[in-house]
Amino acid sequence: MADEKAGRFPDPHEYQVPPELEGWEEMYPSHYLFSKERQDWEKNQFWYLDKIHAPEPMPPLDLIFQEAWQISLSQYTTRVFCIPPAQGIAQRMIGPYMYICAIAPPPDEVIGEKAQLFEKRVFYVFEHYNELWDKWLTKFKALGEEMKAVEVPKELPKFVPEDQVLPAPTGCYVSYDLVAAFDTLVNKMFKGWQYHFEMLNLTYLAYLMFGDVTRKLFPDISESAIGKMVAGAYVSMFRPEEELCQLSRLATSLSGVAEILKGETTADQKKTELKKSEDGKKWLEAFDKAKDPWFYVSCGSGWFHHEGSWITNLDIPFSYIKSYVERLEKGETIERSLDEVDKERDETVAKYRELITTDEDRESFDGAYKTVRTIYRYAEDHLFWVEHWFHTIWFSKIRDFGKLLVDNGMINEVDDIFMFNRYEIPEILTEVVTGWALGVDIPLRSDYYKAKADKRKKILKAANEWNPIPALGVPPEEVAEPFTIMLWGVTTDKVQEWLKGMGEGEVRPEDISEIKGFASSAGVVEGPARVLKRLKEIVDIQPGEILVCPTPNPSWAPIFTKIKGAITDIGGLTSHAAIVCREYGVPSVTGTGVGTSVIKTGDKIRLDGDRGIVTILERC
Amino acid sequence: MKWIYRFDELGKEHNDIVGKKCANLGEMTRVGFRVPPGFALTLGAYERFMKETGAIEEIRRYLATFSADPDNTADMTKYDKASEEMRGILESKEMPEDMENVIKQYYEGVSKTAGISDVPVATRSAGPGSHPGQYETYLCISGSSEVVKNIIRVWSSTFNPRSIIARARLGLSLEYDPIGVAVLKMVNARSAGVMFTLNPVSGDPSVAVIEGNWGLGESVVSGAVTPDVWTVDKVILEIVKESVSTKPKEYLLDTKTGKTMLVDLPPERQNIPCLSKEEILELVKTGMKVEEHYGIAQDTEWAIDDDLPFPENVFMLQCRPEQVWSKRKKESVLGKKSGYELLMARAMKRIKIQE
């Protein structure tokens, strides 16, 4: 745009972060910073805060997932399946927050070339989806097992063990193994993320296509109706919860087991208790059988190390089991009937289909529906395997390194390793093994790293209190990138809304008494709010509270039986969470943008899931 | 020849006998929709009245001297005058005694059903053809003599200026236009309005659109206020769009005069929705049943009765086939494309961000 001021957001090169974040730049790879060299291009792009993948300040090592998706998501669109007018999504950091940019379409000749490749490559995937999915799952599981098998040295021994020297020296030792193990893990993570998008871009494209088709037939159809027609019940992401239900049922059929599980003790105490009886052992056996892979599920989105997982916080699945057992004993049904869900979906589709007025359109609709249904389950299936199972393995391996660094005095706490990015960690590891190789009494720069970790933790904490601007740069003329449209819902209206927000003076959150979002699950409820910014606070939720969070996560399904309603900052009507809310009949308003900053825990609020309105009735 | 029917004795096969509105109310009652209790007078009743009272003769005599051009604006006053004369003839006549007695019996039946003596009723015209809104309706009629009197007034409204001009333009005889009359319990409307079982603007058949205001439906039909509007998905039964407007006024009934009055709403009611969610969904479900029964999209009028508990308070006042979209030729909107062709089309699409 010609006008330098109007219709644009601040130039990212001029945008200032609060002084408390001073020094943030060194936390991330330098190509993630807005730079002089790329200034002309960068300032004319449209950058917006990625609240979906990076709702909170980014710990340096956790950026690896973002790094990996920037490449992988983009390459499938631009170079592999060649979605004709679409380009990739670029990322930059401003303070510890990530901004992303959907790049404008390429020149027409490139679009033409891509269109030819697209037809040839993409239709093949749809034709062969089922067998491709089987292959995908096989190779992905193998990759995860390889990651599990990576041996992280537990210590740097005073002298290498005898068997590594005699009868023949292995020739390479812990000084090599340690750095190599980290490199291997990083490579596997990148590979996993290459796999992640193998069919996802096409899944989203198919979904958008089906959305277009239904909206042409039914101009007033809601996003939630489209979501209902497409979503499947038998997907991996629901399995962890189903396993919990089964374990709970098993508990009630065994003697003495339910009593132990209902107790107020910790998971460890319960396990010790269970080991004392035959039936208890039987139950534990079933538990152990289910836990890999199904309890390798993040307590959050899987994107942050501090979220934890069921497998590392057994208290969480045990607390779900406790409430399921109690409900079973009251004679309640705890399982969602998957057949019912499937049946209901088929009925919904049939009803819309019946309303189509011409046979030609009915045929096209059938074709469109078949196309989207063929591939759509990928959206929910990959999520479990990559963001949950695979990331959980990664976090646990990284903590092995963290422990070794603590043991060697380089950092204070195991999780401090996440304060260093993936390029810095090899440097620390190298320093450690160099010291080990040099002999005894070799000084290391422990204080240097400890101070760095401390400073970075402070920066991240300060960033938590800061609300960065929603967008920077110049809105593009058009976008074609399917993720941008589907996940972030970037539309003309949204951009205008953001632009409008810039002109107004800052409204203090406490002055706001009403916020709006998507009416994603029907019903009106009132109650106390529970604001959940840090995902591990999930155990604090009390029955009857209304959950307010940045974005709910699939693994939270069990708490939906506890809460009265749910409000999220981000997310449209088709997110997994919105679907869960509807299935549990929990009213919800999603995509409010500001829920977690305006509402405070304990505020009395009214959630109107019919209209998408949240009212703050009484401040606590 | 039977000339009076309770609604539950009627069905759509009686269209030509009692007029469409009455036949519909009958059909709806028969199918089990909530409509206010009442009865209908046939076209034959109108004819009997005209003949037995001698009204028809007098009108013919009057018309023999009358001449005017319906397309000439200057002649409009002539029609006004003629209307006044002819309505005067009808309204000066007494209802034949046997008819009067039967009407009174039926009216008492309605009072009994409603559990209110001398229950207030509406007397509504019901043409056999499709001339909606040309004739008149009288509201809040209480007591059997008043009911009888107002039935005659409805008949005489076939001689109102609009109707005689319409007949003149169509080249029909001015002397004679038999209609049915519906006599039904007044709904004590807390809220009322219209509902289409499709979107009248986009033609989308998967939704129903409800417009409503506080009080009687007149404010919605006449456009006196901007109503609240709900678009409801009929398949998943969810409200997909809602627009609650500022509604400064409502029509209420003056129970003494039977006339409606436009009154100011207190500020605290102006901006709140005039229907609850359960009422909205109940209306839509009823609308869907009506639509399914007739096999065609419907244009309905509804009211929420303030005296009764939910869901007995949700009344359908009338319904008729939707006229525009239902008659339109069905055309393909997807261009006979296959699933892959649609996918390709989507892959090529760009979203404009800048205007």
Side-chain angles (χ1 to χ4, degrees):
Chain A
M1 273 205 288
D3 193 330
E4 285 286 306
K5 284 263 161 65
R8 68 159 298 158
F9 295 92
D11 180 339
H13 304 84
E14 290 164 11
Y15 186 65
Q16 298 291 319
V17 307
E20 305 84 69
L21 307 187
E22 192 265 311
W24 65 270
E25 292 90 343
E26 62 163 54
M27 297 199 288
Y28 310 107
S30 63
H31 74 100
Y32 264 82
L33 311 182
F34 285 100
S35 61
K36 227 182 180 154
E37 294 79 1
R38 299 175 293 191
Q39 189 164 6
D40 286 344
W41 182 80
E42 285 171 340
K43 76 173 183 191
N44 288 312
Q45 303 297 316
F46 179 53
W47 303 93
Y48 58 95
L49 191 60
D50 181 1
K51 279 194 162 182
I52 298 217
H53 299 104
E56 39 184 303
M58 184 65 63
L61 187 53
D62 291 340
L63 187 75
I64 190 172
F65 312 125
Q66 319 290 337
E67 268 191 275
W69 79 245
Q70 172 171 225
I71 298 169
S72 181
L73 178 153
S74 302
Q75 80 182 4
Y76 278 102
T77 298
T78 56
R79 314 275 178 183
V80 182
F81 289 122
C82 305
I83 298 173
Q87 299 225 66
I89 298 181
Q91 305 171 344
R92 293 287 187 277
M93 299 300 290
I94 290 270
Y97 288 96
M98 191 170 81
Y99 285 74
I100 56 173
C101 157
I103 300 166
D108 284 348
E109 77 230 41
V110 178
I111 294 179
E113 282 176 272
K114 285 169 81 182
Q116 288 180 5
L117 293 168
F118 177 87
E119 272 189 64
K120 195 169 163 197
R121 299 179 176 185
V122 170
F123 296 164
Y124 179 85
V125 173
F126 282 88
E127 294 290 351
H128 299 88
Y129 178 76
N130 285 337
E131 68 186 80
L132 290 177
W133 165 252
D134 288 343
K135 280 186 189 154
W136 187 94
L137 189 56
T138 307
K139 77 184 174 199
F140 200 85
K141 281 181 176 167
L143 181 66
E145 293 305 329
E146 284 169 28
M147 191 186 266
K148 273 191 211 161
V150 170
E151 270 186 55
V152 182
K154 293 226 164 7
E155 55 165 359
L156 302 173
K158 189 169 181 190
F159 302 106
V160 298
E162 194 90 343
D163 63 352
Q164 291 183 20
V165 186
L166 299 175
T170 53
C172 105
Y173 298 100
V174 70
S175 58
Y176 171 85
D177 296 341
L178 186 68
V179 183
F182 185 77
D183 288 345
T184 306
L185 280 183
V186 168
N187 288 338
K188 299 219 180 287
M189 180 47 67
F190 271 83
K191 194 171 191 183
W193 272 89
Q194 295 263 323
Y195 290 166
H196 176 281
F197 287 96
E198 197 171 302
M199 285 171 280
L200 195 56
N201 305 39
L202 304 184
T203 304
Y204 283 7
L205 189 65
Y207 184 90
L208 291 171
M209 175 276 291
F210 185 67
D212 281 359
V213 164
T214 48
R215 267 185 288 267
K216 263 190 197 149
L217 294 167
F218 309 108
D220 297 297
I221 198 164
S222 65
E223 204 59 46
S224 85
I226 299 171
K228 275 190 177 171
M229 283 195 269
V230 171
Y234 294 93
V235 289
S236 315
M237 207 55 246
F238 287 120
R239 266 296 283 279
E241 194 206 345
E242 284 158 30
E243 295 291 332
L244 290 184
C245 292
Q246 279 177 26
L247 284 168
S248 306
R249 279 218 183 269
L250 177 65
T252 55
S253 72
L254 294 169
S255 128
V257 174
E259 281 59 44
I260 296 170
L261 292 172
K262 279 191 301 177
E264 294 295 340
T265 51
T266 65
D268 281 343
Q269 289 167 322
K270 284 176 186 172
K271 282 174 83 175
T272 314
E273 212 38 47
L274 287 165
K275 274 179 204 152
K276 292 180 186 160
S277 78
E278 276 314 302
D279 272 11
K281 277 187 206 153
K282 222 185 210 169
W283 189 85
L284 279 174
E285 221 169 84
F287 181 86
D288 284 338
K289 216 172 137 199
K291 78 178 181 197
D292 189 3
W294 304 116
F295 296 165
Y296 278 61
V297 56
S298 168
C299 299
S301 58
W303 292 90
F304 292 96
H305 71 274
H306 52 67
E307 292 167 343
S309 65
W310 286 10
I311 198 79
T312 53
N313 299 281
L314 285 179
D315 285 333
I316 290 175
F318 271 79
S319 81
Y320 292 150
I321 291 173
K322 174 178 187 293
S323 79
Y324 281 146
V325 168
E326 285 165 352
R327 287 175 51 199
L328 278 174
E329 289 184 343
K330 277 187 223 152
E332 292 176 34
T333 312
I334 52 170
E335 296 89 352
R336 298 172 326 130
S337 164
L338 298 183
D339 288 340
E340 279 295 310
V341 174
D342 258 12
K343 207 178 120 209
E344 205 178 297
R345 184 199 58 227
D346 292 346
E347 280 170 8
T348 302
V349 174
K351 280 185 198 159
Y352 282 111
R353 192 179 178 280
E354 218 170 275
L355 290 167
I356 299 171
T357 48
T358 68
D359 291 343
E360 289 101 334
D361 281 352
R362 204 167 294 121
E363 209 169 296
S364 297
F365 174 85
D366 290 345
Y369 186 64
K370 187 171 167 258
T371 306
V372 71
R373 279 289 296 160
T374 302
I375 200 165
Y376 196 72
R377 60 172 296 170
Y378 187 80
E380 301 265 357
D381 281 336
H382 87 279
L383 185 67
F384 173 78
W385 290 105
V386 186
E387 276 94 327
H388 291 267
W389 184 67
F390 196 58
H391 282 198
T392 300
I393 300 169
W394 159 269
F395 288 130
S396 115
K397 289 288 169 189
I398 294 299
R399 288 193 170 95
D400 289 346
F401 284 97
K403 193 166 173 300
L404 184 124
L405 290 180
V406 170
D407 292 346
N408 285 273
M410 302 301 272
I411 51 177
N412 286 322
E413 291 166 41
V414 173
D415 275 11
D416 285 355
I417 191 170
F418 293 100
M419 292 303 119
F420 297 92
N421 70 46
R422 68 145 172 134
Y423 300 95
E424 293 173 316
I425 291 170
E427 189 190 344
I428 310 174
L429 297 174
T430 306
E431 187 168 340
V432 171
V433 296
T434 305
W436 175 79
L438 286 173
V440 294
D441 298 334
I442 309 298
L444 296 177
R445 293 180 305 156
S446 310
D447 291 345
Y448 170 79
Y449 289 110
K450 285 177 180 170
K452 247 189 206 307
D454 276 351
K455 183 180 172 194
R456 292 175 179 191
K457 282 197 269 187
K458 283 199 186 99
I459 292 175
L460 294 179
K461 201 165 168 235
N464 250 329
E465 307 298 313
W466 176 50
N467 276 331
I469 191 166
L472 292 161
V474 185
E477 276 177 40
E478 49 192 21
V479 225
E481 202 290 309
F483 288 84
T484 312
I485 301 162
M486 181 149 165
L487 287 182
W488 292 279
V490 172
T491 58
T492 314
D493 286 351
K494 193 99 174 220
V495 172
Q496 293 309 323
E497 193 185 302
W498 286 341
L499 276 172
K500 222 176 89 195
M502 277 208 318
E504 292 157 7
E506 215 164 283
V507 183
R508 293 181 312 160
E510 55 269 35
D511 295 339
I512 300 171
S513 64
E514 188 180 286
I515 53 178
K516 285 188 176 151
F518 296 107
S520 49
S521 179
V524 182
V525 284
E526 278 181 23
R530 167 69 61 179
V531 183
L532 238 172
K533 271 193 182 168
R534 310 287 288 183
L535 300 161
K536 62 182 167 191
E537 294 157 6
I538 190 149
V539 285
D540 297 338
I541 291 179
Q542 300 300 314
E545 286 182 328
I546 298 175
L547 172 68
V548 186
C549 60
T551 179
N553 287 290
S555 63
W556 299 7
I559 65 156
F560 283 84
T561 57
K562 250 185 178 181
I563 55 172
K564 250 189 184 170
I567 297 162
T568 74
D569 288 354
I570 348 151
L573 297 157
T574 50
S575 61
H576 176 99
I579 293 167
V580 172
C581 279
R582 288 194 289 271
E583 273 166 18
Y584 283 84
V586 173
S588 83
V589 175
T590 58
T592 61
V594 294
T596 58
S597 45
V598 169
I599 304 168
K600 304 268 170 279
T601 293
D603 286 350
K604 197 164 171 259
I605 58 176
R606 180 193 300 128
L607 179 168
D608 186 338
D610 301 335
R611 304 200 175 89
I613 297 171
V614 179
T615 318
I616 295 140
L617 302 171
E618 208 183 303
R619 290 286 184 183
C620 67
Chain B
M1 188 66 161
K2 189 168 164 66
W3 56 270
I4 190 164
Y5 293 87
R6 285 193 319 273
F7 289 154
D8 57 13
E9 297 173 306
L10 291 169
K12 58 176 182 277
E13 67 276 18
H14 296 94
N15 257 349
D16 299 336
I17 299 169
V18 291
K20 273 192 173 171
K21 193 181 291 170
C22 299
N24 263 345
L25 283 165
E27 183 85 6
M28 285 158 77
T29 311
R30 191 190 270 177
V31 181
F33 304 127
R34 274 183 294 279
V35 299
F39 58 92
L41 275 69
T42 67
L43 277 60
Y46 173 102
E47 287 174 325
R48 266 192 68 185
F49 171 83
M50 294 295 275
K51 245 183 241 159
E52 290 178 19
T53 60
I56 191 78
E57 287 305 315
E58 284 177 49
I59 282 182
R60 279 181 189 145
R61 273 202 297 278
Y62 173 77
L63 283 173
T65 65
F66 178 77
S67 107
D69 175 2
D71 295 319
N72 182 351
T73 331
D75 279 4
M76 292 303 123
T77 50
K78 288 190 188 170
Y79 285 105
D80 284 348
K81 178 87 197 345
S83 165
E84 205 179 302
E85 287 291 335
M86 293 190 283
R87 294 195 71 164
I89 294 170
L90 264 75
E91 287 173 28
S92 68
K93 305 294 180 213
E94 295 282 334
M95 185 72 80
E97 202 184 330
D98 64 317
M99 287 176 82
E100 178 160 352
N101 289 337
V102 175
I103 291 169
K104 286 181 173 174
Q105 275 172 28
Y106 273 73
Y107 172 69
E108 271 155 31
V110 178
S111 293
K112 214 170 147 195
T113 309
I116 305 170
S117 65
D118 284 347
V119 66
V121 292
T123 53
R124 292 182 175 268
S125 59
S130 176
H131 312 272
Q134 286 200 354
Y135 312 128
E136 284 153 31
T137 283
Y138 301 97
L139 303 174
C140 224
I141 313 300
S142 197
S144 54
S145 329
E146 281 300 303
V147 169
V148 169
K149 205 167 114 195
N150 279 283
I151 290 170
I152 299 173
R153 282 175 78 200
V154 174
W155 286 335
S156 97
S157 77
T158 60
F159 294 96
N160 67 19
R162 265 189 306 174
S163 302
I164 52 179
I165 291 168
R167 290 207 288 281
R169 287 214 171 114
L170 292 167
L172 300 172
S173 148
L174 297 191
E175 65 178 45
Y176 182 71
D177 187 15
I179 56 168
V181 179
V183 177
L184 66 166
K185 178 196 175 284
M186 284 301 302
V187 172
N188 182 9
R190 185 208 72 209
S191 305
V194 296
M195 168 172 64
F196 283 84
T197 64
L198 50 62
N199 182 332
V201 181
S202 68
D204 188 337
S206 71
V207 294
V209 175
I210 298 173
E211 294 193 330
N213 186 19
W214 299 112
L216 296 163
E218 270 73 357
S219 64
V220 177
V221 179
S222 68
V225 295
T226 305
D228 294 336
V229 186
W230 290 274
T231 306
V232 183
D233 190 310
K234 295 188 292 183
V235 176
I236 58 173
L237 282 176
E238 275 176 19
I239 298 167
V240 292
K241 229 179 281 166
E242 174 186 65
S243 147
V244 176
S245 4
T246 302
K247 304 168 289 292
K249 288 167 191 301
E250 66 177 335
Y251 272 104
L252 288 182
L253 260 187
D254 183 334
T255 44
K256 290 210 179 84
T257 62
K259 291 219 169 94
T260 58
M261 1 172 237
L262 194 56
V263 300
D264 290 342
L265 276 159
E268 67 272 16
R269 287 181 75 208
Q270 291 185 5
N271 292 308
I272 55 173
C274 70
L275 288 174
S276 71
K277 190 197 163 197
E278 57 178 5
E279 288 163 353
I280 292 167
L281 294 182
E282 182 64 25
L283 271 175
V284 171
K285 282 185 217 159
T286 311
M288 285 164 67
K289 276 192 239 162
V290 179
E291 179 181 59
E292 198 192 334
H293 179 73
Y294 290 104
I296 185 165
Q298 298 287 310
D299 164 1
T300 69
E301 286 181 28
W302 53 268
I304 307 296
D305 196 307
D306 210 10
D307 301 334
L308 299 165
F310 179 84
E312 277 109 72
N313 60 347
V314 180
F315 280 114
M316 282 287 143
L317 302 182
Q318 63 167 299
C319 64
R320 56 178 172 242
E322 189 276 336
Q323 298 288 336
V324 180
W325 294 93
S326 312
K327 287 185 176 162
R328 195 166 281 198
K329 194 169 166 272
K330 313 290 182 227
E331 273 169 7
S332 159
V333 292
L334 299 176
K336 300 186 187 178
K337 287 201 177 89
S338 70
Y340 290 159
E341 286 167 333
L342 290 163
L343 191 71
M344 187 70 201
R346 172 65 227 197
M348 295 300 289
K349 194 170 154 182
R350 308 169 189 201
I351 306 262
K352 284 252 179 247
I353 294 279
Q354 286 183 11
E355 295 294 314

